[in-house]
Amino acid sequence: MFRLTELSAIDLNQLFNLSPNPYVILDRELRLVGMNDAYLGVTGRSREELVGRAIFDAFPSDPSSQPGRLLRQSFAKVLSTGQVDHLPLIPYPIPGPDGELEERYWSATHTPIKDEAGRLTFILQHTVDVTELHLLRSRSAGDLKVHTDLMRRADAVQGQNVALGEEREYLRMLFEQAPGFMAVLRGPEHVFSIVNRSYRAIVGREDMIGKTVREALPDLDGQGFYELLDEVYRTGTPYSAYGARVILQPSDSVQPEERFLDFVYQPIRDQDGLVTGIFVQGQDVTELRRAQEAARENEDRFRTLAQSLPTHVWTATPDGRMQWCNDQIFTYSGLESFYFDRERRSDMLHPEDSPRIAAAWGEALRAGGRLETEIRLRRHDGVYRWFITRAVPIKNAEGEITLWVATNTDIDEQKKTESELSNLAETLGHRVEERTIELERTQEVLRQSQKMEAIGNLAGGIAHDFNNLLQVITGNLQLLSREFAGNETAEKRLNSALAGASRGARLASQLLAFGRRQPLSPKVVNLSRLIREMDHLLRRSLGEAIEIDTIVGGGLWNTLVDPTNVENALLNLAINARDAMNGQGKLTIELGNAYLDDAYARHTFDVEAGQYVMLAVSDTGAGMTADILDKVFDPFFTTKPEGKGTGLGLSMVYGFVKQSGGHIRIYSEPGSGTTVRIYLPRSMEDEDVVAENGSGAASGGHETILVVEDDEAVREITVSLLAELGYRVLRARDADSGLAIVESGVPIDCLFTDVVMPGRLKSRDLAKRAKERLPHLGVLFTSGYTENSIVHGGRLDPGVNLLSKPYTREALARKIRQVIDQNRQAQPKPLPESPPEIHSAKPAAETRPAPELPIAVLLVEDEALIRISTADFLQDSGMTVIEAGTANEALAEVGGQAIDILVTDVHLPEMSGLQLALKLRETLPRLPVIFATGDRNVPGSEGLGDTALITKPYDYELLTTRIRSMVTPRRGG
């Protein structure tokens, strides 16, 4: 337990005293020097009666008696061998509450405690009272089972003793090996009870335990440390010091030594809050102090040297602020002050040079590299002369810039004879400036994309937890509405609460849409049909004052997209346009084919070149400024008055388009209206037939439903809703418990399970194994978050039924009924009996080749969600997957297993994916490798054969196809 805490400062004395097991410490003469409260409790003694006395004086025992002989032999063995000794059972009487000796039986462990030189200094005795166990064993002498149980209990007690001894030794080792100095002082006299190695090394002495601080460290007298300890003990207020000076002289034979320390005096309190001691912990910072002084001396020498040089010398801080310059600059310029930073330029600099120098200096600061450029500086008489400026970063051991050192060297005479080179340099300077601007623009696009991705991840995570909460609220409100039927006041309040919960559900759905976490059900559709079907809805939503003009290009391509989300996106854009036009104007909806070429994709982040179906919505409203355009996709950003919008409309559209593999662009200028263009990938397949969603009345049934949900509140409300609908309901808290119910043989008609649950068994595996045992079982998944094993690439797997949280009673009833009825309709009709097959007499080995073995994939990915979902898909594709989160785990998993292909991320902890591939190629030279990474290339892999690169986010089907194309199937013997 203590290893996992990684504590660097522990009050071992307090831990020892609070242990529930009896412990006592003896010196080499077997004198009692310390014991904990548990020991005092079982012996009925006090510390004053025991400390300092020999153990056989405190607890008399005849040396010739069995207890006396066993105990003395055990102590002698520990003292002679230095090894732990155990006494599984020893009778030893102790005085009872009335003073009379009471026969007790004990199990004892004697552990040697050694100093740094390995000499035994103390013995730790750990005792356990086993009187009741021994008496039980005596009364059950003929019962073999009781004997066995008792022996097992004795072995367990002995094992616990060993473990406790090891734990104590481990804690002592932690304290002893701590890099900082530590000590524990007890009582108002500050007696040393624990001192670690670092502390002893700093003060230069060893014999400190049991001495007061004034006795152990007399050389501290007059330096104020005694008084500080007294004050901390008296007030109970901690004290901290930084760089405190102390003079140490371990003995008169050595010279006093000056040291500088950072330390803290922390009061130790008992259970009643009273101060009982002080914990001392700190670091020796003497070398740091000396290094700082040496740095100051080096700086003085540098400035002296710089003042003697004929060139200009100056220094700047890591962020580009001028720090110091030599007198040559003041002599040349005639200025009384000289300063510049990242934003401000010096008055010496020629106005035409200022932008170029600003860009070059800014680039050097960003890249942390050497700066060398030519500038014109004004002399005291107003004449500008050419200088070459060279600035070099000074870095510390960690590679961090601590200072810039620079010189300005006069090259005016050279410039006058190099006019052609000067023109060339000017041209080059313009090119550098243009490249810098382009780089800044690209970085801004990347920053915006990364910001949207980060906010999307946050929004998706919030929506997941929010949906679970809403599920509990909505379910309970619906149950309450039935109990208060006829109570108008209660019904009104319940309906208001349900309306609020419904708004929360919509908000969570919008957050999931923006975070690209909503489960999509894409269909191959032609958007012209969807737009025609929405015409009436749009006109009713926008009002008669809005003129709607629809333009559909000829030969419109199909696209693979979720029709419902397209309709929601178009309705959101239309309502935004209506509000921008103040309810009056013209709305133009345009559909057409579009091609985004390589040049466009190269200058636009997160866009792939190719064929798209373009949906454009234009209005004649007020338009937007550039600063508003930069933020329109941010969640909760809106230009509408308070209470008129959530600010999630465009965010939801953005998330849906990106999740569908598309692109979105907004064009707007103040006074010229706004156009939103959505590009959805073209599909080469025929249009699907989109079925209407059923919306009939919710009905129940009498079938048996197994509910598997780890959230207790959600589970209970779901069970209540289903029971109210008439179903027989079984419940389980995780997939393992659910599988146990399935395997019990109880008839089940439908499995209703959460997707993300704790435990070794996943919900998808539960459904698969349940269907194997109950082929006619209906399965319905539910989740408030869709980064899981039933959604791949943001899309539901074929044949999967999902009810998203939070759901209403009606939605639950309708979906359960639908799944049960669908499953009944899908049950196969009985087939007529077939005539018996006539088997060939030829051996099977001669008629059939050996079957192909599943492809064995070693999947190495440190992101757990990516690894789990990828492994699920590959396993569903008939492959065997060996998962690993690091390269070292992968190497450990490979031992003795056949591997057909390695699929690995490049950026892994401990060892990169490329290094892992090279390591595996040492023993498997023909092993195919797929690098699945967000990078566009893998430097260093150019010379490797039989490799492929798939960039994230990758399509699972593409990954599966690539694996099968690179692997030659093995056949079983």
Side-chain angles (χ1 to χ4, degrees), residues 480-496:
L480 281 174
S481 65
R482 294 181 171 268
E483 297 183 13
F484 287 96
N487 187 330
E488 292 185 5
T489 302
E491 287 182 340
K492 181 178 180 181
R493 292 176 178 172
L494 287 171
N495 289 336
S496 297

PDB file of all heavy atoms in Angstrom, residues 480-496:
ATOM      1  N   LEU A 480     -43.348  10.010 -11.705  1.00  0.00           N
ATOM      2  CA  LEU A 480     -44.137  10.869 -10.817  1.00  0.00           C
ATOM      3  C   LEU A 480     -45.396  11.384 -11.508  1.00  0.00           C
ATOM      4  O   LEU A 480     -46.443  11.559 -10.871  1.00  0.00           O
ATOM      5  CB  LEU A 480     -43.280  12.055 -10.351  1.00  0.00           C
ATOM      6  CG  LEU A 480     -42.285  11.781  -9.224  1.00  0.00           C
ATOM      7  CD1 LEU A 480     -41.424  12.999  -8.985  1.00  0.00           C
ATOM      8  CD2 LEU A 480     -43.042  11.407  -7.942  1.00  0.00           C
ATOM      9  N   SER A 481     -45.303  11.647 -12.824  1.00  0.00           N
ATOM     10  CA  SER A 481     -46.464  12.194 -13.530  1.00  0.00           C
ATOM     11  C   SER A 481     -47.650  11.233 -13.469  1.00  0.00           C
ATOM     12  O   SER A 481     -48.802  11.661 -13.486  1.00  0.00           O
ATOM     13  CB  SER A 481     -46.086  12.492 -14.983  1.00  0.00           C
ATOM     14  OG  SER A 481     -45.782  11.298 -15.669  1.00  0.00           O
ATOM     15  N   ARG A 482     -47.387   9.931 -13.391  1.00  0.00           N
ATOM     16  CA  ARG A 482     -48.479   8.971 -13.298  1.00  0.00           C
ATOM     17  C   ARG A 482     -49.084   8.947 -11.890  1.00  0.00           C
ATOM     18  O   ARG A 482     -50.267   8.714 -11.723  1.00  0.00           O
ATOM     19  CB  ARG A 482     -47.998   7.582 -13.700  1.00  0.00           C
ATOM     20  CG  ARG A 482     -47.613   7.528 -15.176  1.00  0.00           C
ATOM     21  CD  ARG A 482     -47.142   6.160 -15.616  1.00  0.00           C
ATOM     22  NE  ARG A 482     -47.004   6.144 -17.073  1.00  0.00           N
ATOM     23  CZ  ARG A 482     -47.966   5.777 -17.905  1.00  0.00           C
ATOM     24  NH1 ARG A 482     -49.122   5.388 -17.427  1.00  0.00           N
ATOM     25  NH2 ARG A 482     -47.781   5.791 -19.217  1.00  0.00           N
ATOM     26  N   GLU A 483     -48.247   9.172 -10.886  1.00  0.00           N
ATOM     27  CA  GLU A 483     -48.751   9.168  -9.508  1.00  0.00           C
ATOM     28  C   GLU A 483     -49.578  10.413  -9.208  1.00  0.00           C
ATOM     29  O   GLU A 483     -50.434  10.402  -8.339  1.00  0.00           O
ATOM     30  CB  GLU A 483     -47.586   9.056  -8.544  1.00  0.00           C
ATOM     31  CG  GLU A 483     -46.802   7.756  -8.669  1.00  0.00           C
ATOM     32  CD  GLU A 483     -45.697   7.667  -7.634  1.00  0.00           C
ATOM     33  OE1 GLU A 483     -45.730   8.491  -6.694  1.00  0.00           O
ATOM     34  OE2 GLU A 483     -44.822   6.791  -7.765  1.00  0.00           O
ATOM     35  N   PHE A 484     -49.301  11.532  -9.900  1.00  0.00           N
ATOM     36  CA  PHE A 484     -50.005  12.785  -9.629  1.00  0.00           C
ATOM     37  C   PHE A 484     -51.038  13.098 -10.708  1.00  0.00           C
ATOM     38  O   PHE A 484     -51.369  14.263 -10.936  1.00  0.00           O
ATOM     39  CB  PHE A 484     -49.003  13.930  -9.520  1.00  0.00           C
ATOM     40  CG  PHE A 484     -48.198  13.903  -8.255  1.00  0.00           C
ATOM     41  CD1 PHE A 484     -46.938  13.325  -8.252  1.00  0.00           C
ATOM     42  CD2 PHE A 484     -48.686  14.424  -7.072  1.00  0.00           C
ATOM     43  CE1 PHE A 484     -46.172  13.283  -7.108  1.00  0.00           C
ATOM     44  CE2 PHE A 484     -47.925  14.389  -5.919  1.00  0.00           C
ATOM     45  CZ  PHE A 484     -46.671  13.817  -5.919  1.00  0.00           C
ATOM     46  N   ALA A 485     -51.479  12.067 -11.440  1.00  0.00           N
ATOM     47  CA  ALA A 485     -52.490  12.296 -12.472  1.00  0.00           C
ATOM     48  C   ALA A 485     -53.751  12.892 -11.848  1.00  0.00           C
ATOM     49  O   ALA A 485     -54.255  12.408 -10.828  1.00  0.00           O
ATOM     50  CB  ALA A 485     -52.814  10.981 -13.179  1.00  0.00           C
ATOM     51  N   GLY A 486     -54.247  13.976 -12.441  1.00  0.00           N
ATOM     52  CA  GLY A 486     -55.428  14.649 -11.904  1.00  0.00           C
ATOM     53  C   GLY A 486     -55.112  15.823 -11.014  1.00  0.00           C
ATOM     54  O   GLY A 486     -55.982  16.656 -10.752  1.00  0.00           O
ATOM     55  N   ASN A 487     -53.884  15.927 -10.533  1.00  0.00           N
ATOM     56  CA  ASN A 487     -53.466  17.064  -9.701  1.00  0.00           C
ATOM     57  C   ASN A 487     -52.893  18.130 -10.634  1.00  0.00           C
ATOM     58  O   ASN A 487     -51.758  18.033 -11.098  1.00  0.00           O
ATOM     59  CB  ASN A 487     -52.425  16.609  -8.684  1.00  0.00           C
ATOM     60  CG  ASN A 487     -52.077  17.715  -7.689  1.00  0.00           C
ATOM     61  OD1 ASN A 487     -52.138  18.887  -8.007  1.00  0.00           O
ATOM     62  ND2 ASN A 487     -51.696  17.301  -6.483  1.00  0.00           N
ATOM     63  N   GLU A 488     -53.692  19.161 -10.950  1.00  0.00           N
ATOM     64  CA  GLU A 488     -53.293  20.125 -11.969  1.00  0.00           C
ATOM     65  C   GLU A 488     -52.007  20.850 -11.591  1.00  0.00           C
ATOM     66  O   GLU A 488     -51.131  21.066 -12.436  1.00  0.00           O
ATOM     67  CB  GLU A 488     -54.419  21.147 -12.185  1.00  0.00           C
ATOM     68  CG  GLU A 488     -55.654  20.548 -12.828  1.00  0.00           C
ATOM     69  CD  GLU A 488     -56.685  21.618 -13.142  1.00  0.00           C
ATOM     70  OE1 GLU A 488     -56.375  22.808 -12.932  1.00  0.00           O
ATOM     71  OE2 GLU A 488     -57.790  21.260 -13.584  1.00  0.00           O
ATOM     72  N   THR A 489     -51.871  21.226 -10.327  1.00  0.00           N
ATOM     73  CA  THR A 489     -50.676  21.965  -9.906  1.00  0.00           C
ATOM     74  C   THR A 489     -49.427  21.094 -10.054  1.00  0.00           C
ATOM     75  O   THR A 489     -48.400  21.527 -10.599  1.00  0.00           O
ATOM     76  CB  THR A 489     -50.815  22.416  -8.451  1.00  0.00           C
ATOM     77  OG1 THR A 489     -51.987  23.239  -8.326  1.00  0.00           O
ATOM     78  CG2 THR A 489     -49.579  23.212  -8.009  1.00  0.00           C
ATOM     79  N   ALA A 490     -49.544  19.853  -9.565  1.00  0.00           N
ATOM     80  CA  ALA A 490     -48.389  18.955  -9.658  1.00  0.00           C
ATOM     81  C   ALA A 490     -48.074  18.641 -11.114  1.00  0.00           C
ATOM     82  O   ALA A 490     -46.900  18.614 -11.510  1.00  0.00           O
ATOM     83  CB  ALA A 490     -48.672  17.662  -8.889  1.00  0.00           C
ATOM     84  N   GLU A 491     -49.137  18.403 -11.932  1.00  0.00           N
ATOM     85  CA  GLU A 491     -48.887  18.089 -13.341  1.00  0.00           C
ATOM     86  C   GLU A 491     -48.219  19.255 -14.049  1.00  0.00           C
ATOM     87  O   GLU A 491     -47.332  19.065 -14.887  1.00  0.00           O
ATOM     88  CB  GLU A 491     -50.195  17.731 -14.038  1.00  0.00           C
ATOM     89  CG  GLU A 491     -50.731  16.360 -13.654  1.00  0.00           C
ATOM     90  CD  GLU A 491     -52.002  16.034 -14.409  1.00  0.00           C
ATOM     91  OE1 GLU A 491     -52.649  16.976 -14.921  1.00  0.00           O
ATOM     92  OE2 GLU A 491     -52.356  14.846 -14.489  1.00  0.00           O
ATOM     93  N   LYS A 492     -48.646  20.471 -13.717  1.00  0.00           N
ATOM     94  CA  LYS A 492     -48.041  21.647 -14.351  1.00  0.00           C
ATOM     95  C   LYS A 492     -46.562  21.739 -14.009  1.00  0.00           C
ATOM     96  O   LYS A 492     -45.714  22.005 -14.883  1.00  0.00           O
ATOM     97  CB  LYS A 492     -48.780  22.903 -13.889  1.00  0.00           C
ATOM     98  CG  LYS A 492     -48.243  24.191 -14.517  1.00  0.00           C
ATOM     99  CD  LYS A 492     -49.044  25.394 -14.067  1.00  0.00           C
ATOM    100  CE  LYS A 492     -48.491  26.677 -14.694  1.00  0.00           C
ATOM    101  NZ  LYS A 492     -49.244  27.869 -14.243  1.00  0.00           N
ATOM    102  N   ARG A 493     -46.227  21.515 -12.749  1.00  0.00           N
ATOM    103  CA  ARG A 493     -44.822  21.598 -12.348  1.00  0.00           C
ATOM    104  C   ARG A 493     -44.003  20.453 -12.956  1.00  0.00           C
ATOM    105  O   ARG A 493     -42.857  20.647 -13.366  1.00  0.00           O
ATOM    106  CB  ARG A 493     -44.720  21.563 -10.827  1.00  0.00           C
ATOM    107  CG  ARG A 493     -45.286  22.822 -10.175  1.00  0.00           C
ATOM    108  CD  ARG A 493     -45.279  22.754  -8.659  1.00  0.00           C
ATOM    109  NE  ARG A 493     -45.782  23.993  -8.074  1.00  0.00           N
ATOM    110  CZ  ARG A 493     -46.033  24.165  -6.791  1.00  0.00           C
ATOM    111  NH1 ARG A 493     -45.809  23.162  -5.948  1.00  0.00           N
ATOM    112  NH2 ARG A 493     -46.485  25.322  -6.345  1.00  0.00           N
ATOM    113  N   LEU A 494     -44.590  19.250 -13.001  1.00  0.00           N
ATOM    114  CA  LEU A 494     -43.876  18.128 -13.596  1.00  0.00           C
ATOM    115  C   LEU A 494     -43.645  18.357 -15.083  1.00  0.00           C
ATOM    116  O   LEU A 494     -42.569  18.055 -15.621  1.00  0.00           O
ATOM    117  CB  LEU A 494     -44.638  16.823 -13.385  1.00  0.00           C
ATOM    118  CG  LEU A 494     -44.606  16.265 -11.956  1.00  0.00           C
ATOM    119  CD1 LEU A 494     -45.563  15.093 -11.825  1.00  0.00           C
ATOM    120  CD2 LEU A 494     -43.195  15.820 -11.612  1.00  0.00           C
ATOM    121  N   ASN A 495     -44.657  18.921 -15.764  1.00  0.00           N
ATOM    122  CA  ASN A 495     -44.486  19.196 -17.194  1.00  0.00           C
ATOM    123  C   ASN A 495     -43.409  20.249 -17.425  1.00  0.00           C
ATOM    124  O   ASN A 495     -42.645  20.172 -18.391  1.00  0.00           O
ATOM    125  CB  ASN A 495     -45.809  19.652 -17.808  1.00  0.00           C
ATOM    126  CG  ASN A 495     -46.816  18.520 -17.922  1.00  0.00           C
ATOM    127  OD1 ASN A 495     -46.428  17.353 -17.976  1.00  0.00           O
ATOM    128  ND2 ASN A 495     -48.102  18.848 -17.918  1.00  0.00           N
ATOM    129  N   SER A 496     -43.332  21.240 -16.519  1.00  0.00           N
ATOM    130  CA  SER A 496     -42.272  22.254 -16.646  1.00  0.00           C
ATOM    131  C   SER A 496     -40.901  21.617 -16.442  1.00  0.00           C
ATOM    132  O   SER A 496     -39.942  21.926 -17.164  1.00  0.00           O
ATOM    133  CB  SER A 496     -42.483  23.377 -15.621  1.00  0.00           C
ATOM    134  OG  SER A 496     -43.699  24.052 -15.864  1.00  0.00           O
TER     135      SER A 496
END
